[in-house]
Amino acid sequence: MRRPGQTLNAFWCERVVYETFEPDSPAQVSRCSRSNPAEAVRAIRVDVRAIKDTLAPVERERALRWTGHGGSLGAVAALHRGEPCGFSLSSGGRWIEWTVRPYLAFDVSGLSLLPCASIRH
């Protein structure tokens, strides 16, 4: 059970789609946070599997190998060690990158933890 003010590990997930192979201008960015490494990597696996039919054969093979044959296990292990992980694919001239980074989250569910809660007017 979490205690108010407790520090928790959480995992910041990003998917960035570049319309070209140039890294200066991402066309689409999506972000979310997950509470454990398995959930974070599962989010990548779901995204990758959703686009697998649009990939060239070589990239499709890489995607299926990563999502189903152990590549994602290494990513979960890295997150458990506190290290970031990621995966990237080329798809129809676009470049897609998924990254997950551990970060510290703080439970602030109690009003008493907010600085202004002790000030009464």
Side-chain angles (χ1 to χ4, degrees):
M1 182 169 176
R2 289 193 245 179
R3 295 182 315 267
Q6 179 181 5
T7 302
L8 309 168
N9 288 323
F11 301 88
W12 187 249
C13 309
E14 289 187 339
R15 180 186 63 198
V16 181
V17 178
Y18 300 92
E19 288 301 325
T20 67
F21 294 114
E22 298 297 322
D24 358 346
S25 57
Q28 185 182 77
V29 178
S30 51
R31 298 176 176 107
C32 66
S33 180
R34 298 288 188 246
S35 61
N36 67 59
E39 287 180 17
V41 172
R42 187 176 306 118
I44 297 173
R45 291 173 63 212
V46 166
D47 273 355
V48 171
R49 287 182 179 153
I51 65 166
K52 72 176 175 27
D53 293 334
T54 67
L55 301 172
V58 171
E59 289 293 86
R60 186 179 312 120
E61 178 61 31
R62 281 186 61 237
L64 293 174
R65 195 170 43 244
W66 192 85
T67 60
H69 300 292
S72 58
L73 291 177
V76 171
L79 292 171
H80 275 291
R81 292 188 304 267
E83 301 169 1
C85 69
F87 185 68
S88 58
L89 287 170
S90 168
S91 174
R94 297 180 307 156
W95 186 254
I96 307 168
E97 294 180 342
W98 292 267
T99 57
V100 180
R101 291 176 176 81
Y103 72 96
L104 293 178
F106 301 93
D107 184 1
V108 291
S109 57
L111 287 178
S112 62
L113 295 177
L114 299 176
C116 62
S118 62
I119 300 172
R120 303 280 184 232
H121 296 286

